[in-house]
Amino acid sequence: MNNVEIRRPEIKDIEKLNELFRIVITDTFAKEGIGHMLEDIEKEIETKRVYLERDFESHGEQRYFLIAVDGNQIMGSIEFGPVSELISKFTNATFKNLCEVGTVSVHPGYQKIGVGNLLLKSMYLALKNKEVEEFCLDSGYRNAQKIWKKKFGVPDYLLKDYWGTDFDHMIWRIKVKDVIK
């Protein structure tokens, strides 16, 4: 972890980031027991690809990515942008003016060593520098939900069985000042 650099992505990183999205999403679906949902995997990968494209097109105004790199290896990424339709709908649009932190992707070979935490802390600072006071975050992945509950507590919204029996969706609202320490 000593050589990890957190930075904005560059054009030369696009191919490696899209590869990272594919690896992480495929791995996540497999670990969640839904690896057979190939169409959903492809849809999720395409969404991340489009988000990255929007970052470059808008120079970080519509979507804003940070990446963790060690030499030439991209270890992970995180981004923020407008809230998703799902969040807006299920919060009765009360979160629609917040930004959403998402696309927290850490390569399976670099998980559980602090890369995700480093990306989160860097994103908190980026949000503070952009004078963002609150953000939201959501998750439909059970393994990720364990992490988010540990970090942020009970979700503000729980969509019970949203993705099927025992596959809930959770949404948190977080104040930047509460997470910057």
Side-chain angles (χ1 to χ4, degrees):
M1 283 290 291
N2 294 343
N3 299 320
V4 178
E5 175 189 6
I6 305 294
R7 64 171 171 80
R8 294 272 295 134
E10 301 168 5
I11 297 290
K12 67 179 179 146
D13 300 318
I14 291 174
E15 188 175 322
K16 285 184 179 179
L17 276 165
N18 285 324
E19 182 182 325
L20 174 76
F21 299 148
R22 178 166 298 285
I23 290 167
V24 171
I25 291 166
T26 303
D27 181 68
T28 299
F29 272 61
K31 287 176 179 171
E32 292 287 325
I34 53 174
H36 62 281
M37 299 175 72
L38 302 179
E39 192 174 308
D40 290 329
I41 290 171
E42 290 305 319
K43 188 175 171 183
E44 187 77 7
I45 292 166
E46 178 62 13
T47 297
K48 305 309 180 202
R49 189 193 66 71
V50 169
Y51 285 179
L52 183 60
E53 207 172 89
R54 286 192 185 139
D55 180 340
F56 281 103
E57 289 171 354
S58 70
H59 304 286
E61 294 301 315
Q62 289 180 3
R63 293 281 170 184
Y64 183 91
F65 273 78
L66 292 174
I67 61 173
V69 292
D70 182 3
N72 290 332
Q73 179 66 43
I74 296 178
M75 304 164 75
S77 72
I78 190 170
E79 64 88 26
F80 79 85
V83 298
S84 67
E85 288 180 34
L86 185 149
I87 290 174
S88 188
K89 177 181 175 183
F90 286 101
T91 63
N92 298 315
T94 59
F95 286 14
K96 75 176 182 181
N97 293 323
L98 298 179
C99 67
E100 174 187 357
V101 170
T103 313
V104 183
S105 301
V106 178
H107 189 285
Y110 294 101
Q111 292 176 1
K112 298 184 181 177
I113 61 169
V115 174
N117 285 326
L118 196 55
L119 284 163
L120 272 170
K121 288 176 184 176
S122 298
M123 184 55 75
Y124 300 156
L125 292 174
L127 291 168
K128 182 181 178 189
N129 290 339
K130 291 180 175 287
E131 299 180 356
V132 172
E133 293 180 8
E134 290 183 285
F135 65 93
C136 61
L137 180 141
D138 73 331
S139 180
Y141 302 129
R142 291 181 289 196
N143 289 318
Q145 289 168 351
K146 291 175 192 171
I147 295 167
W148 301 133
K149 284 194 279 189
K150 192 174 177 182
K151 288 189 179 306
F152 306 126
V154 176
D156 295 277
Y157 289 85
L158 172 65
L159 312 178
K160 190 81 178 130
D161 298 328
Y162 182 79
W163 300 106
T165 304
D166 295 326
F167 284 91
D168 304 334
H169 198 86
M170 299 178 186
I171 306 169
W172 289 263
R173 183 176 190 151
I174 301 129
K175 292 184 186 312
V176 174
K177 70 178 178 65
D178 291 344
V179 291
I180 292 183
K181 295 174 172 77

